[in-house]
Every structure is written in structure tokens, then in C-alpha cells.
Amino acid sequence: MTPRLLLPFTALWMMLAAPAALAQAAAGAKPLPQEALSDSLLDHTVAWVQSFFKAEGGGNAIGHFLAAGLLFIAAVLLRKIITHVIFVWLKRLAARTTTTLDDKLFPAVETPVAWLVFVFLVFAGLRVLVLPSWAETWIGYAFDVAWVVVLFWGLLRALNAVVDHLKDIGDRRGLGLEHFMPIIKKTLGVIFVLLAGVTIAQRMGIDVKAFLAGLGIGGLAFALAAQDTLSNFFGSLVVAVDRPFRVGEYVGIGAAEGTVEDIGLRSTKLRTGARTQIVIPNKMVANELVTNYSRMPQRRVDQQIGLTYNTTPEQMQGFLEDARTILRGDPDVHQDFIAVNFTGYGASSLDIQIVYFAANPDWRKHMELRERINLKIMRAVAARGLSFAFPTQTLHVEDAVARKLAGVNPAVLS
């Protein structure tokens, strides 16, 4: 937020704090502690108004009613000014900034800020009047409740605006945060309601230590009972923050492989090549090895072929050059790495290892490329008069055994 956007809030704070500051200066008082800020601000504002209107004394006079009436009118007018002037200007100013956070933040806090000023001035007007002690006590309780409720309401709306802003950023970047925002908002709401309730109870003199202790024990029991649910939820947060995969990508999670169909708060769903659906709890997703096949820049092809043993060294060398030329001449083969080598002598073949990368990692495109390359290799083998080897065995029989077999069956020697 730029300094220009902070000016209205600074002016508003100075407007509320000026009476208290003047009263403190007149009385020569020391600065008040931060925890008593709302009460001190109200008390010093009331004292300043009473002094200004000469409304001090044991009973209500014209000055008391005049001061209270002006404060009530000021509450209504300032509420209108905040909503129809200050925040209208702020919204126009926010529309010219590059970020969208202020576009969400100002409408969110507009009403709470206006009501905060309204509540403050209305209760200041009531405190100006001389009322029975029981009435002043209840007015004090009512001010504490109203002040805390409006303050926490404004903070909650501001945080919800920030959450919505983060959701928009996540949507633009494809982070898949839309599943988490509703539960985050509900959690913030529950937390703020509890904090507001505890604050109000403490302000009214109620001992909240026992309640907080019971809340801690209850939270521990809930955490133990919902251990698996919480593990899955935090696993989904890990997936959302770390982004190992997105919906629509083909991944391997442990022993499971498939296309990601959904990333939920409890589980992640995969659709396999056999069209079956696999549901994996998110706590397992967070702990398993994840292989994302959709994010391969190229797809590797590694295959081995074998030529017959009657292939001469010259023919082998010529065929290897032919295979390298085929790979270098295909535009769909990634040219950074091509390896065609005579690697060894197999049981029934001269082994050749062919390794290259398909420039397009798409599975179907890569299969079409493999088919095209394999057909060209077959033509190159045939053009050089070579043959692919296949598993064969040659049986050598000693002469004595051969004669014996021939005597049994002369056709063997024919």
C-alpha cells in the first residue's frame, strides 16, 4: 500500500485521538498503556467535550445535552462522510494501482470503519450525560461489546479480502487453491469469534483462564480424534504449496500411475490408462515419491536391436552411420543427445543400443516418432543386405553319435 493510501487512515486516527491528546496535555498526564487504548480514548474524548462545552458538574445542564446531541449528529455525519467521501476517493485511487489487493480491501473495511466511528461517537455522547451509576456500568459494558465486535468484524473482513486476493493469484498461476479457501475463511471466522468472545468476557471482568484451559484440552482431544483427517488436510496444503502436479497431468504416486482428475481436501484422484480411478489419501501423497511425466521437457527413447553374427565390421560401421543420419535428419528428434553404438556380443546377436529423445513429450507423438524411426532403420538394414538376429541355437553332434543316428535313420545323412 502506497503512502498516499495511508493518508485517510492517518487523518481518521488523528481525528479520533486529537481530543484525548489535548485532554492529556491539559492534564499533564502520562501516555496511557496500549491495552487501555479504547477506554482511555473514550474517557479523554468525553472529558475534552465536557470541558469545551462547560458541561462539568453533578447534574445534566444545557451544555450536557448540547454536547451529547452534537456528538450524535457528528456520529451520523462522519459515518456518511467515511462511506460517501473518504472511501469513494480511496476506491478511485485503488483503481489506478497495479495491485488488486486494495480493490478488495477498501470495500471490505469500509462499513466496519464507518461503524467503528459511529459506535465511538454515540457512546461518547452517552458518557457526556450524567446518568445513574448502574446505567453508566451497563453503557460501559455495551461499549466494550460493540467496540470489540466491530473491531474484530473489520479485521475478519480485511483478512477475508486478503484470502480472496491470494485465491485470485492462485487461480492465475494454476495453484489449485480454490478447495482450501472456504475452509480457511470458516477457520478464520471461528478463531475471530472465539477471540472476540474471550476479549469481551475479559473486559467484563469474567475469569477466562479456566475456559482457555478447557479449550486447550478439548483441542487436544479433537486433534487426536481427527488425526487422519488433519493429516490429509495438511497433506493437501503441502500439495497446494509445493505443486508437484496439477489437474490434468499424468503422474506416478508411489506404485500408482494415472492422470490427475481432482485434488481435494482429503484425497487426490487419478484416472489410470485402464480407465479405473485410484483415490489416494493426501497424507500418502505428501510422503510418497511423485513422478510427474507431464513435465518432461522431452521423452527418452532407449531401445536395443541385434544384427546377425555374419555381419562384417564394415557393414556394422556403415549401418551405425546410417542410423545416426536417420536420427539427425528427423525434426521431431531432440538433437542435443543422440547415441547409436555397437555395445556388445549377445548370445545370438551383435547388440546395438539406440538412445534419443523425442522433442515432443506427448505420449502419442512420441509413439508416432518411434514408429517412423523404426521403419527407417528396417529399410537401412535391408538396404545393406543385413538381417536382424533372433534367438537361435546350433547343435553340434560328434561323429560316433551321428553314425549311430544315421544307422537308425539313414534319412538323417541324406
Side-chain angles (χ1 to χ4, degrees):
M1 188 179 295
T2 61
R4 289 190 300 173
L5 299 182
L6 293 173
L7 289 175
F9 295 104
T10 305
L12 181 61
W13 177 252
M14 293 178 64
M15 177 184 65
L16 291 175
L22 290 174
Q24 276 189 335
K30 296 180 180 180
L32 290 160
Q34 189 69 24
E35 60 270 13
L37 183 59
S38 59
D39 286 340
S40 65
L41 191 61
L42 181 64
D43 292 338
H44 288 298
T45 301
V46 170
W48 181 82
V49 171
Q50 287 176 336
S51 176
F52 182 82
F53 285 95
K54 303 295 190 287
E56 299 172 341
N60 288 318
I62 296 177
H64 291 82
F65 293 109
L66 180 62
L70 289 177
L71 284 173
F72 293 153
I73 294 173
V76 176
L77 291 179
L78 278 176
R79 182 171 173 271
K80 296 291 185 181
I81 290 173
I82 289 172
T83 55
H84 293 87
V85 178
I86 295 178
F87 272 91
V88 169
W89 176 74
L90 285 174
K91 291 175 185 176
R92 291 175 180 173
L93 194 60
R96 297 198 294 267
T97 60
T98 56
T99 179
T100 59
L101 176 59
D102 47 10
D103 297 302
K104 295 181 175 64
L105 190 59
F106 289 144
V109 301
E110 174 183 354
T111 305
V113 169
W115 276 105
L116 196 65
V117 175
F118 180 82
V119 166
F120 180 85
L121 292 177
V122 165
F123 279 95
L126 292 175
R127 292 284 295 272
V128 166
L129 299 174
V130 179
L131 301 173
S133 59
W134 63 268
E136 290 186 356
T137 301
W138 282 105
I139 288 174
Y141 287 154
F143 172 72
D144 288 340
V145 172
W147 180 269
V148 171
V149 168
V150 175
L151 183 62
F152 277 90
W153 174 40
L155 291 175
L156 179 60
R157 293 195 60 169
L159 283 177
N160 283 336
V162 174
V163 171
D164 290 336
H165 179 67
L166 294 176
K167 177 181 179 298
D168 292 342
I169 294 177
D171 291 341
R172 289 197 299 268
R173 296 182 180 179
L175 301 182
L177 298 176
E178 63 274 4
H179 301 284
F180 306 97
M181 295 309 169
I183 192 169
I184 290 176
K185 285 187 174 182
K186 291 178 182 178
T187 303
L188 287 175
V190 172
I191 292 174
F192 271 77
V193 168
L194 290 175
L195 288 176
V198 170
T199 304
I200 291 172
Q202 191 172 13
R203 301 277 301 206
M204 297 179 71
I206 299 174
D207 187 9
V208 297
K209 293 180 180 179
F211 171 75
L212 293 176
L215 191 64
I217 296 173
L220 179 61
F222 174 79
L224 291 175
Q227 186 175 2
D228 288 341
T229 301
L230 291 175
S231 297
N232 288 325
F233 173 71
F234 286 114
S236 62
L237 286 180
V238 170
V239 172
V241 173
D242 196 39
R243 292 184 296 159
F245 51 79
R246 300 175 184 174
V247 174
E249 293 183 335
Y250 191 86
V251 300
I253 303 176
E257 286 189 7
T259 303
V260 180
E261 281 194 337
D262 180 63
I263 305 172
L265 292 176
R266 196 196 72 84
S267 63
T268 296
K269 298 179 177 64
L270 302 182
R271 181 69 63 180
T272 67
R275 297 295 183 262
T276 58
Q277 188 182 69
I278 300 177
V279 180
I280 307 174
N282 284 329
K283 67 175 182 179
M284 294 181 61
V285 176
N287 295 325
E288 288 285 353
L289 179 66
V290 177
T291 304
N292 194 324
Y293 297 101
S294 297
R295 296 184 185 179
M296 293 188 297
Q298 302 92 28
R299 188 178 287 270
R300 188 173 188 264
V301 178
D302 187 348
Q303 63 185 29
Q304 181 175 294
I305 63 174
L307 299 179
T308 57
Y309 264 95
N310 59 2
T311 303
T312 65
E314 291 74 18
Q315 290 175 320
M316 175 66 76
Q317 185 65 41
F319 170 74
L320 294 176
E321 292 299 329
D322 292 343
R324 294 180 185 122
T325 302
I326 290 172
L327 294 175
R328 293 193 186 102
D330 197 300
D332 291 333
V333 175
H334 197 261
Q335 299 299 315
D336 285 354
F337 184 85
I338 294 174
V340 180
N341 300 101
F342 173 33
T343 57
Y345 300 92
S348 58
S349 64
L350 301 175
D351 297 331
I352 300 172
Q353 194 79 15
I354 300 176
V355 181
Y356 60 94
F357 286 86
N360 191 335
D362 180 75
W363 189 82
R364 292 183 179 179
K365 297 291 185 182
H366 128 272
M367 290 301 292
E368 292 174 0
L369 173 63
R370 291 186 67 166
E371 177 183 310
R372 186 167 63 249
I373 295 297
N374 287 339
L375 289 174
K376 291 180 179 179
I377 289 175
M378 287 184 67
R379 295 189 184 100
V381 170
R384 289 195 173 270
L386 304 175
S387 300
F388 290 106
F390 53 88
T392 57
Q393 287 185 342
T394 302
L395 182 62
H396 296 276
V397 183
E398 294 182 357
D399 292 342
V401 177
R403 291 191 184 93
K404 186 175 181 180
L405 290 174
V408 174
N409 186 4
V412 173
L413 300 177
S414 61

